[in-house]
Amino acid sequence: MAAESAQNFEALEAQARALLDLFARAGYEPVAPSIIQPAGVFLDQIGEQVRGRTYVFTDLAGEELCLRPDLTVPVSRLYLERHPKADRPARYCYNGPAFRFQPLGPSRTHPREFRQAGIECFGAADKESADIEIVLLAVGAVRSAGLRDYGLRFGDIALFYALIDALSLPERWRFKLRHYFWRPPVFHALLNRLAKGDRPEGDGLPQVLTAALAGTTPERAEELVAAYLEKQDIPLAGNRTLSEIAERLLDHAADLRADKLPKEVATIIDYYLAVAAPPREAVDKVAMIARGAGLDIDAGLDAALRRFDRLARDGIDLGRAIFATEFGRKLEYYSGLVFQIEGAGLDETEPVAGGGRYDGLLSALGARRDVPAVGSAIHTERLLAAVERAAP
């Protein structure tokens, strides 16, 4: 067992060296961001699906920290440390561990500690070319490691946002639908409820508290929630602060007073999110849905089609690819193109590699404005497993 573990470690190290060498030759500077990161940065940006799996702790000075659950945020922070004005383009590559709790228990393809080898491109003015560069480099990297049997899955957050913005619906529901896009079961339950005009359930909250919160300021809401928790002798637990709990309850109270979502709008969104087909066919289907609904999302459709045409010209076999409108990956900082590479024998939840565009992340981390950014990370344990599985 020890010998097998040592062999696996050596294979991973050899693979990592080869990947980093490939990235460096493509013009990406190797960096090594800190493993321990401020927890608040991650918990605010990565989204619920990864947030609940992040290892969080408090050090002896009382600072809340975490073991990084991915490397995009740490590399983004490193970029801002080097370029506080976020006014210079930069390309970085890395290889290092990340950490996530595995609710079904750790396994070879879902370990608690896993390695990511990746690339991040900041400040490139030509976003389309940067997107193409990242996809080509990620595919080239897994192929260089020996992976031949793989599929590609694409999504486009910006196209979904364009659809939502083109629809006539209450601004509150536009915000909520954008927010819940990354959690399909919750999203569809919300959409179904809104179309029926059903009010949200109270989640066990007493009506008197919900009524008291309606229309109050965040500061007053925090006071009311604190008083309620103290009176009921309910301790704070988990990763949420008192202010976050109050904010969530304020949001719930506002839902109770919001207008109904028109049923025809919900139907259009359902039709859109049901599209999953080869890329050009999928774009045609979305265009047909938009035309039928009288919506103008031509700019987003043209951008998606142009991107796929360029990928095909640059050697990407779109016969291996699916464009799924509901696909957004699990990290909620994405804002445009998203993609993942899926090895044979591994399902959609076990991608070998993935990435996408995240133009809003750096401003959330302190930059004065949004900064064009796109990247990709390879889950090297899965890549090694997929290559070994395919070996004769």
Side-chain angles (χ1 to χ4, degrees):
M1 192 69 172
E4 181 181 346
S5 178
Q7 288 177 348
N8 187 62
F9 176 78
E10 290 173 3
L12 281 171
E13 287 297 298
Q15 181 189 78
R17 287 193 297 270
L19 290 172
L20 283 178
D21 183 58
L22 185 151
F23 296 151
R25 292 199 308 271
Y28 287 74
E29 176 191 350
V31 295
S34 299
I35 290 176
I36 296 177
Q37 295 279 322
V41 169
F42 274 94
L43 301 184
D44 288 343
Q45 301 303 323
I46 57 179
E48 291 291 335
Q49 294 192 64
V50 179
R51 175 182 183 136
R53 296 170 55 196
T54 300
Y55 289 100
V56 179
F57 61 95
T58 303
D59 70 6
L60 295 177
E63 184 176 0
E64 192 175 43
L65 303 168
C66 72
L67 299 177
R68 62 189 186 196
D70 94 319
L71 274 84
T72 296
V73 174
V75 174
S76 298
R77 295 183 67 236
L78 185 149
Y79 169 77
L80 288 176
E81 289 171 9
R82 294 185 175 186
H83 309 293
K85 295 182 180 179
D87 56 352
R88 297 184 184 181
R91 285 171 166 80
Y92 299 139
C93 64
Y94 54 82
N95 174 69
F99 307 83
R100 293 182 195 173
F101 171 70
Q102 302 297 343
L104 299 180
S107 66
R108 186 178 182 187
T109 55
H110 287 281
R112 295 189 186 97
E113 177 182 342
F114 57 95
R115 288 184 175 271
Q116 287 185 343
I119 45 177
E120 311 293 344
C121 172
F122 301 106
D126 186 345
K127 295 183 182 182
E128 181 179 293
S129 294
D131 287 349
I132 301 299
E133 176 184 313
I134 292 293
V135 174
L136 291 174
L137 194 49
V139 172
V142 300
R143 286 182 59 83
S144 74
L147 186 65
R148 295 291 179 267
D149 192 2
Y150 62 89
L152 285 161
R153 186 178 302 272
F154 291 97
D156 192 334
I157 311 300
L159 186 60
F160 172 73
Y161 286 174
L163 177 86
I164 293 297
D165 289 343
L167 288 167
S168 177
L169 72 164
E171 187 59 34
R172 174 160 191 80
W173 299 140
R174 181 176 286 111
F175 170 80
K176 297 281 277 192
L177 292 171
R178 288 171 67 125
H179 178 69
Y180 286 112
F181 173 80
W182 283 270
R183 286 166 269 171
V186 177
F187 181 98
H188 287 290
L190 173 66
L191 189 64
N192 184 56
R193 176 173 63 75
L194 295 180
K196 291 180 178 178
D198 295 340
R199 294 301 179 187
E201 296 179 359
D203 295 330
L205 296 172
Q207 291 185 355
V208 63
L209 177 59
T210 303
L213 291 172
T216 63
T217 64
E219 293 77 13
R220 178 56 180 159
E222 192 170 335
E223 292 174 2
L224 291 170
V225 172
Y228 175 80
L229 293 177
E230 183 177 1
K231 183 177 181 180
Q232 300 297 320
D233 196 25
I234 300 174
L236 284 174
N239 292 334
R240 294 195 179 277
T241 65
L242 179 61
S243 63
E244 288 174 327
I245 294 171
E247 181 181 1
R248 191 167 187 174
L249 295 179
L250 269 177
D251 182 67
H252 176 79
D255 280 354
L256 294 173
R257 307 192 310 275
D259 295 331
K260 178 181 176 182
L261 181 75
K263 188 172 184 178
E264 60 272 18
V265 170
T267 300
I268 294 167
I269 296 172
D270 272 332
Y271 283 163
Y272 173 85
L273 292 177
V275 174
R280 293 189 181 97
E281 180 184 336
V283 172
D284 288 343
K285 287 183 176 181
V286 173
M288 183 175 64
I289 292 168
R291 283 195 300 270
L295 304 177
D296 181 7
I297 57 172
D298 289 350
L301 290 168
D302 291 344
L305 192 57
R306 190 170 58 247
R307 188 165 53 222
F308 287 128
D309 286 344
R310 287 187 60 178
L311 285 170
R313 288 198 304 270
D314 287 333
I316 296 296
D317 180 6
L318 294 184
R320 297 174 178 263
I322 292 293
F323 178 33
T325 50
E326 194 169 52
F327 174 60
R329 308 203 71 228
K330 293 180 179 180
L331 296 159
E332 296 183 17
Y333 48 64
Y334 287 119
S335 61
L337 166 76
V338 288
F339 72 95
Q340 66 184 31
I341 303 171
E342 300 167 1
L346 299 175
D347 64 28
E348 183 185 340
T349 67
E350 299 176 317
V352 167
R357 176 159 292 280
Y358 51 94
D359 291 348
L361 178 59
L362 271 75
S363 60
L365 296 178
R368 295 179 182 177
R369 64 186 186 283
D370 285 354
V371 178
V374 60
S376 177
I378 297 170
H379 194 306
T380 55
E381 281 93 347
R382 288 181 190 156
L383 176 58
L384 185 62
V387 171
E388 290 179 347
R389 185 182 292 112

